[in-house]
Amino acid sequence: MSINTSKHVAVLAFPSSSHPKTMMDLLLKLSNSAPHILFSFFSTQKSNESLLSSYSDDLQLPSNIKIYDVEDGVPMGYQFTGKPHEQVNLFLKAAPEILTRRIETVVAETGMKISCIISDAFLTFSGEIADKFDASWVALWVAFPTSLSAHFYTQLIRNKCATQNIGKDELLDFVPGLSILRVKDLPAEVLAVGEKESAFSKELSQIGEKLAKANAVIINCFEELVPEVINNDLKSKFINYLNLGFISMTLPPPPQLPESDSDATGCLSWLDKQPSKSVAYIAFGTKATLPEKELKALAEALEFSKIPFLWSLKENLKEKLPNGFVERTSKQGKIVAWTPQTLVLAHDSVAIFISHAGFNSVCESIVYGVPMICRPVFGDHMTMARMVEVGWEIGVTVEDGVITKIGLLKILEMFFQDDDDGKVKKMRENVHQLKKVVLMAALPGCAAAKDFNKLTGIISMV
């Protein structure tokens, strides 16, 4: 095997949520460590535009990264019906042909054949595309490995639920490493069968079969955070199983926050005026949206509690809040359409993070030592919320997964007033201990750095 100084790697993004950003962050790191490789990045035009806007204006893409738009799979004149994952389903049905055709065009334009395909693991057909180009295949799993295990064992879980009448509250103790999860904590796609099985859930149900053929499966996490049973089981299932750490985070974080005046949102300046560990920070990511009834309940609980709050809330959702809420709480809290989340979580005044338990948000909460209140919405949120509450004991999930005024008030009272049993103190100790684990795992020479070097070697070899 030898190093080729003119290699060409096709990178296939899953055009939804934070997936393209994580893939591009990985690509930026790889382009630096492997400057001899040309990386061609493929995603839909809408996804690419959103992706580039998520970076600061001074981002300069390395010369060995090229971005290409692909069709989104939506037929001309198609009328959306509002079904879950509708646009994703349309893309997935058309994607194998669309991506193959676009890669062929780029190969012809550049005169460079594809030697490797790096794809989001959700695109399980990427292995077949790699075979067409006689290329190796590397798959990126963006979420926490518990959800990878759940999708890997989808058929086993479906069979058990169908033949043994397993209830939603029963534990998944028949799946390696998932004994803390209940059936109801699984992503909906795992249990979707028959008419409920969409193109998306069908794609995910093939993960166990398809990813086992990949040359490498790379994980957006530190192996030190993952239960040993899951690590050992997944390592036994794949040719190469590489934990790269938190791909989208720079670790260790800066030792000091920037000057508050440099934050155009005004969040840091507002937080500067609040006492230490006094603020509830609320953010539900870019895709997750609470039902109107729960938005109102959340607002009512915050107002009644008198706790200072910083709320990242899209402008169009303000009208769904209780009448007069924004005006009445203008001195108690601050509502903005977007927050510099890592800077907010790093601020000393933030005591708790109320979130959808998206994986990136959980990672950031750990790195900055902030316990969580979780209200999972979809996908792997339920498995992450369970990990937060039961696996790591660094937070709680709202009762029955639904925010009510009374229920949230009880949780807020526990965090800010009444911790007689020391539960909150223990959560704070646990999250700070996990923070130490992550910072140690991110050091040069540790497992994540070694796995990254191994990945660079895999995509550089012929």
Side-chain angles (χ1 to χ4, degrees):
M1 301 177 76
S2 61
I3 300 294
N4 190 327
T5 56
S6 58
K7 294 179 67 64
H8 190 185
V9 174
V11 182
L12 314 183
F14 178 71
S16 183
S17 192
S18 62
H19 287 240
K21 176 75 162 54
T22 306
M23 182 66 85
M24 179 55 75
D25 288 338
L26 170 65
L27 194 51
L28 289 169
K29 293 179 179 180
L30 284 173
S31 68
N32 183 59
S33 66
H36 58 285
I37 295 177
L38 172 63
F39 296 93
S40 293
F41 181 94
F42 299 88
S43 193
T44 63
Q45 180 181 351
K46 181 179 179 181
S47 173
N48 281 337
E49 289 174 352
S50 176
L51 171 65
L52 292 177
S53 70
S54 69
Y55 291 96
S56 60
D57 294 336
D58 60 357
L59 171 70
Q60 294 292 323
L61 283 179
S63 60
N64 61 334
I65 295 180
K66 305 297 180 185
I67 297 180
Y68 297 95
D69 295 337
V70 299
E71 300 161 49
D72 60 11
V74 179
M76 288 287 291
Y78 182 87
Q79 297 295 316
F80 283 95
T81 63
K83 293 179 181 178
H85 302 303
E86 188 170 6
Q87 193 157 356
V88 166
N89 286 325
L90 291 170
F91 173 76
L92 288 174
K93 288 178 181 178
E97 180 182 347
I98 288 172
L99 288 166
T100 300
R101 188 170 62 244
R102 192 70 174 100
I103 293 171
E104 287 172 343
T105 301
V106 171
V107 167
E109 290 173 353
T110 61
M112 297 177 65
K113 76 180 191 71
I114 298 295
S115 57
C116 177
I117 286 179
I118 302 176
S119 78
D120 193 296
F122 280 10
L123 307 180
T124 62
F125 52 78
S126 299
E128 283 80 29
I129 296 179
D131 288 342
K132 290 179 182 178
F133 290 94
D134 193 25
S136 58
W137 176 34
V138 174
L140 166 64
W141 188 260
V142 169
F144 193 69
T146 49
S147 58
L148 174 55
S149 289
H151 288 297
F152 192 94
Y153 287 101
T154 288
Q155 298 306 330
L156 171 64
I157 293 170
R158 288 179 178 178
N159 291 339
K160 287 275 189 180
C161 290
T163 60
Q164 298 184 20
N165 196 28
I166 295 176
K168 291 191 174 183
D169 288 311
E170 293 195 42
L171 297 174
L172 296 166
D173 51 11
F174 54 89
V175 179
L178 300 192
S179 59
I180 67 166
L181 295 185
R182 302 159 297 186
V183 172
K184 65 183 179 184
D185 298 320
L186 291 167
E189 291 76 21
V190 173
L191 300 175
V193 294
E195 294 181 357
K196 295 181 179 179
E197 190 167 29
S198 64
F200 186 37
S201 58
K202 286 180 181 177
E203 195 73 27
L204 295 180
S205 72
Q206 300 179 67
I207 280 174
E209 173 191 353
K210 296 292 184 68
L211 262 60
K213 300 175 183 177
N215 296 81
V217 174
I218 50 182
I219 307 297
N220 179 30
C221 192
F222 294 98
E223 70 172 31
E224 290 86 348
L225 281 183
V226 183
E228 187 176 2
V229 175
I230 293 179
N231 264 331
N232 292 339
D233 183 58
L234 292 178
K235 283 181 180 179
S236 73
K237 298 293 191 291
F238 304 119
I239 297 171
N240 287 289
Y241 180 74
L242 309 176
N243 287 270
L244 302 191
F246 298 159
I247 291 170
S248 292
M249 294 190 72
T250 300
L251 297 173
Q256 291 184 325
L257 288 173
E259 292 295 326
S260 295
D261 291 345
S262 67
D263 169 28
T265 67
C267 293
L268 296 185
S269 297
W270 184 84
L271 288 169
D272 287 343
K273 300 172 185 176
Q274 312 308 316
S276 175
K277 300 295 181 286
S278 67
V279 175
Y281 170 54
I282 307 105
F284 286 86
T286 56
K287 292 291 184 180
T289 301
L290 293 179
E292 184 173 345
K293 185 176 180 180
E294 292 187 60
L295 276 175
K296 284 184 165 63
L298 173 53
E300 290 168 354
L302 290 171
E303 183 175 6
F304 188 87
S305 72
K306 300 292 191 290
I307 293 167
F309 67 86
L310 174 60
W311 193 346
S312 177
L313 184 69
K314 297 182 183 74
E315 197 65 33
N316 65 317
L317 294 178
K318 281 187 179 180
E319 62 186 34
K320 300 182 183 297
L321 299 176
N323 291 334
F325 170 79
V326 175
E327 295 74 22
R328 290 193 305 272
T329 61
S330 60
K331 293 183 179 179
Q332 175 190 351
K334 182 177 179 65
I335 302 176
V336 293
W338 180 86
T339 61
Q341 183 156 290
T342 56
L343 300 182
V344 168
L345 290 171
H347 200 285
D348 178 65
S349 67
V350 174
I352 190 73
F353 183 15
I354 302 176
S355 165
H356 58 307
F359 182 55
N360 284 339
S361 291
V362 173
C363 293
E364 290 165 354
S365 204
I366 290 172
V367 167
Y368 294 100
V370 181
M372 305 184 75
I373 298 174
C374 303
R375 194 300 188 188
V377 179
F378 59 76
D380 69 328
H381 299 171
M382 288 75 76
T383 64
M384 285 313 305
R386 187 71 171 172
M387 197 70 199
V388 164
E389 182 171 24
V390 180
W392 294 317
E393 298 183 57
I394 60 171
V396 296
T397 302
V398 295
E399 188 175 1
D400 296 325
V402 176
I403 292 176
T404 63
K405 178 182 176 180
I406 293 175
L408 185 55
L409 277 171
K410 288 181 180 178
I411 296 174
L412 290 173
E413 181 180 358
M414 175 182 70
F415 273 100
F416 290 94
Q417 297 176 27
D418 181 16
D419 186 32
D420 289 343
D421 60 1
K423 186 176 180 180
V424 174
K425 180 183 178 183
K426 183 64 176 175
M427 280 188 269
R428 295 196 185 284
E429 290 173 352
N430 288 343
V431 74
H432 280 284
Q433 184 58 40
L434 281 186
K435 176 181 178 178
K436 291 179 182 178
V437 169
V438 167
L439 295 181
M440 287 294 294
L443 292 174
C446 289
K450 291 177 180 177
D451 278 359
F452 182 83
N453 290 337
K454 188 171 184 178
L455 171 63
T456 302
I458 289 170
I459 65 173
S460 297
M461 294 293 184
V462 293

